[in-house]
Amino acid sequence: MNRLTETARGVYVIAVTPFLPDGGLDLESTDRMVDFYLSVGATGLTVLGMMGEAQKLTIGESQLIVRRILARVAGRVPVVVGVSAPGFAQMASLTEMVMDDGAAGVMIAPPSSLRTDDQIVAYYAQAVGFIKDVPFVVQDFPLVTGVQMSVPVIRRIVADLPTCVCLKHEDWPGLDKISALRADGFLNRRISILCGNGGMFLPEEMARGADGAMTGFAYPEMMVDVVRHTDAGEAERAQDLFDAYLPLARYEQQPGIGLAVRKYTMAKRGIIAHASLRRPGPGLNERTIAEVDRLIRRQERRLRELT
């Protein structure tokens, strides 16, 4: 098993959880989705993230979907699993389960009850006491968690906890935070910084020192191409491709319906069989679907112009 390290780079796609129309797990679509992610160049996958509807799964279902994805990946890329939980006992149990099954590491978001830097640092120190030597990703997503993770608190976590190997940076957009963390000598060691928010700021994040993306989008090849061209010193080409996808990426970032838009587009592309969200979850009305279809047509036209 290849464990996640500070050298993680590229695009770790946040996998959706495919459902059947009746709410059951769609395991055949799960296999097809994994094949698609790998075919477009994902360097890793992240499972049971917030956009993977993890909170709607039972423990048994969580294990089933992780095992299915790990089996399909078959060691070709690292798989990170979100294990955020209300209590440490559940976090420890899920961590042990997924690591035994072959996961590369876990991701932990802070609970919304944390308010001070000391509380945040203490929380992650306690979490490590339960997950032991498992490499973990700190998820900094204040728009959802309500926890403001300052640059100094991230430095303390990195300094105090050697198993912290990656920051999932989802501040909005938090570009100055990346610059501060990448300043010479600020951290006692270099960790991976992979960015979220649907890749909405990816060109700027890469320019500030990020290592890539850990997020979802119905067209993950956009993020793969942006990272690839940036690494090759082709920033303008990366920006041109990003701009072609931006209208749809922006539309997909709407609060409330964003995941429904992503799943609709993925189903339209044949990546998954159904656009179903598990309840409670919104559906898309005819007007919204027409807008998404229009953006896809415009995107395809612009991409043809760029080839």
Side-chain angles (χ1 to χ4, degrees), residues 286-302:
E286 292 183 3
R287 182 68 178 269
T288 300
I289 289 172
E291 289 170 347
V292 174
D293 289 344
R294 173 179 174 272
L295 291 174
I296 291 172
R297 290 193 299 271
R298 290 178 59 83
Q299 175 180 286
E300 290 173 346
R301 184 169 68 247
R302 179 57 181 148

Side-chain angles (χ1 to χ4, degrees), residues 174-230:
L175 297 173
D176 288 340
K177 182 180 285 188
I178 299 174
S179 294
L181 292 170
R182 286 294 187 235
D184 288 343
F186 183 78
L187 298 178
N188 69 324
R189 58 190 171 90
R190 191 186 192 282
I191 65 167
S192 173
I193 298 178
L194 300 175
C195 299
N197 295 316
M200 288 283 288
F201 300 94
L202 188 55
E204 293 79 14
E205 289 162 343
M206 294 296 295
R208 296 290 188 111
D211 296 296
M214 183 182 278
T215 190
F217 177 42
Y219 289 83
E221 55 265 48
M222 176 272 282
M223 298 180 288
V224 171
D225 286 342
V226 168
V227 172
R228 176 169 59 87
H229 285 293
T230 301

Side-chain angles (χ1 to χ4, degrees), residues 6-303:
E6 294 92 341
T7 63
R9 187 169 184 85
V11 177
Y12 281 62
V13 180
I14 296 285
V16 303
T17 301
F19 292 109
L20 299 168
D22 65 2
L25 294 176
D26 185 350
L27 297 178
E28 290 186 4
S29 284
T30 299
D31 291 343
R32 190 158 67 247
M33 174 188 70
V34 169
D35 292 346
F36 169 77
Y37 287 150
L38 297 182
S39 73
V40 298
T43 51
L45 298 182
T46 303
V47 187
L48 304 186
M50 292 181 183
M51 293 297 275
E53 299 179 82
Q55 72 282 6
K56 301 177 185 177
L57 302 178
T58 67
I59 293 293
E61 288 174 327
S62 296
Q63 183 176 31
L64 178 59
I65 201 74
V66 170
R67 282 182 170 170
R68 187 80 175 207
I69 289 175
L70 286 168
R72 196 70 176 185
V73 169
R76 287 174 286 176
V77 298
V79 176
V80 176
V81 180
V83 295
S84 303
F88 289 127
Q90 183 177 340
M91 181 187 296
S93 176
L94 185 55
T95 297
E96 181 179 11
M97 186 187 305
V98 301
M99 294 303 291
D100 286 347
D101 288 339
V106 299
M107 180 171 65
I108 303 172
S112 59
S113 58
L114 303 181
R115 290 292 177 267
T116 69
D117 284 3
D118 287 345
Q119 289 174 341
I120 297 169
V121 174
Y123 177 82
Y124 278 99
Q126 292 170 33
V128 167
F130 281 84
I131 68 171
K132 308 301 182 185
D133 64 344
V134 173
F136 73 95
V137 179
V138 172
Q139 186 172 13
D140 179 16
F141 197 5
L143 288 173
V144 169
T145 65
V147 177
Q148 296 295 328
M149 207 173 288
S150 68
V151 170
V153 81
I154 295 171
R155 176 169 60 179
R156 289 172 60 187
I157 292 170
V158 172
D160 294 351
L161 305 173
T163 51
C164 174
V165 298
C166 179
L167 172 69
K168 185 175 192 287
H169 171 76
E170 297 191 90
D171 215 335
W172 188 269
L175 297 173
D176 288 340
K177 182 180 285 188
I178 299 174
S179 294
L181 292 170
R182 286 294 187 235
D184 288 343
F186 183 78
L187 298 178
N188 69 324
R189 58 190 171 90
R190 191 186 192 282
I191 65 167
S192 173
I193 298 178
L194 300 175
C195 299
N197 295 316
M200 288 283 288
F201 300 94
L202 188 55
E204 293 79 14
E205 289 162 343
M206 294 296 295
R208 296 290 188 111
D211 296 296
M214 183 182 278
T215 190
F217 177 42
Y219 289 83
E221 55 265 48
M222 176 272 282
M223 298 180 288
V224 171
D225 286 342
V226 168
V227 172
R228 176 169 59 87
H229 285 293
T230 301
D231 286 347
E234 302 166 350
E236 287 302 309
R237 176 63 176 174
Q239 187 72 58
D240 287 343
L241 289 168
F242 174 82
D243 290 349
Y245 290 98
L246 182 57
L248 184 60
R250 172 197 59 121
Y251 199 92
E252 194 185 277
Q253 283 299 299
Q254 292 180 86
I257 67 166
L259 181 57
V261 171
R262 182 178 303 171
K263 281 192 160 184
Y264 167 78
T265 308
M266 291 176 69
K268 185 179 178 71
R269 300 187 72 190
I271 302 166
I272 56 178
H274 311 282
S276 309
L277 276 68
R278 179 170 278 185
R279 296 180 179 177
L284 304 182
N285 59 40
E286 292 183 3
R287 182 68 178 269
T288 300
I289 289 172
E291 289 170 347
V292 174
D293 289 344
R294 173 179 174 272
L295 291 174
I296 291 172
R297 290 193 299 271
R298 290 178 59 83
Q299 175 180 286
E300 290 173 346
R301 184 169 68 247
R302 179 57 181 148
L303 289 170

